[in-house]
Amino acid sequence: MRYKVTFLAGLALGYVVGTAAGRERFEEMKKSARRVAQNPAVRNAAESAGQAGRQFAGKAFAAVGDKVGDAVPDSVAKHVRSLRERGQGSEDEWGTSNT
């Protein structure tokens, strides 16, 4: 999937750079992308996907923690805990909460 997204992004970039309209077409595409990103349905879907991802990551973290147990050095465990605490209750760069 990652390769498809990369290919499509490269294709879009090549189209914009290669067109005679150039900057005008780029601005038009940028406005369209902004409209899509500001659509409430898209924002809700993104938030739902983010919440599902965080839940899955939490379950994976717990499962790995149960299996690894005390094999993780204290310095690594402290670093992971500090990252988890830092991200709780704040908003990310997209304006969505990390709860």
Side-chain angles (χ1 to χ4, degrees):
M1 182 68 182
R2 182 179 76 189
Y3 298 111
K4 287 181 183 180
V5 172
T6 304
F7 174 76
L8 290 174
L11 187 66
L13 180 64
Y15 173 74
V16 170
V17 170
T19 60
R23 186 70 180 177
E24 293 169 5
R25 181 68 179 138
F26 173 74
E27 291 297 330
E28 190 177 308
M29 290 172 66
K30 193 165 97 173
K31 286 179 187 176
S32 295
R34 189 172 289 134
R35 266 188 258 123
V36 168
Q38 291 176 350
N39 184 331
V42 172
R43 292 180 66 89
N44 288 340
E47 180 66 24
S48 296
Q51 287 177 351
R54 285 188 289 277
Q55 288 174 352
F56 180 76
K59 289 177 185 177
F61 180 77
V64 169
D66 290 343
K67 290 189 184 225
V68 172
D70 295 331
V72 176
D74 287 335
S75 61
V76 173
K78 288 177 186 177
H79 183 69
V80 170
R81 271 190 236 107
S82 70
L83 288 175
R84 290 185 76 206
E85 290 169 359
R86 185 176 72 185
Q88 291 181 351
S90 63
E91 288 190 353
D92 60 10
E93 64 272 9
W94 297 97
T96 57
S97 63
N98 287 327
T99 57

